[in-house]
Amino acid sequence: MRDLNYSIKKLCDRNRDSSIATRSNRAQQLNQIANELHQVGFKQIKSVDGLKPKHIWRLVEHWQKKALSPGSIK
């Protein structure tokens, strides 16, 4: 398991503020984002605390190239 994915798992385990289905969906979406960041080229992000605006901008650019709708990107 990648460091970022593990960090996301620990974060989701600590935050138990919703229903089980909501937490599961949130964890899946965050893991998908972490996998896409890895695909884009950010392979050295160790934890959630290491995410910076440059990572988010690069991810949004990646999604725009994939022609995702603005609602999906939000």
Side-chain angles (χ1 to χ4, degrees):
M1 182 180 279
R2 295 185 191 113
D3 291 335
L4 182 57
N5 292 79
Y6 183 72
S7 177
I8 288 171
K9 180 186 179 318
K10 297 304 271 182
L11 179 73
C12 289
D13 288 345
R14 280 193 313 258
N15 294 322
R16 305 177 62 91
D17 58 349
S18 301
S19 70
I20 294 172
T22 301
R23 289 189 311 222
S24 175
N25 289 338
R26 184 181 302 134
Q28 287 176 350
Q29 290 172 351
L30 290 172
N31 278 317
Q32 182 180 2
I33 289 170
N35 292 336
E36 288 191 29
L37 279 171
H38 191 266
Q39 288 175 352
V40 170
F42 293 111
K43 300 181 185 335
Q44 298 297 323
I45 303 172
K46 297 291 182 184
S47 70
V48 176
D49 296 330
L51 289 174
K52 301 200 178 336
K54 68 179 181 180
H55 300 118
I56 305 305
W57 286 112
R58 182 79 178 271
L59 190 60
V60 170
E61 288 174 2
H62 174 70
W63 288 337
Q64 288 174 339
K65 287 179 185 175
K66 289 174 58 175
L68 291 178
S69 69
S72 296
I73 293 174
K74 286 181 184 180

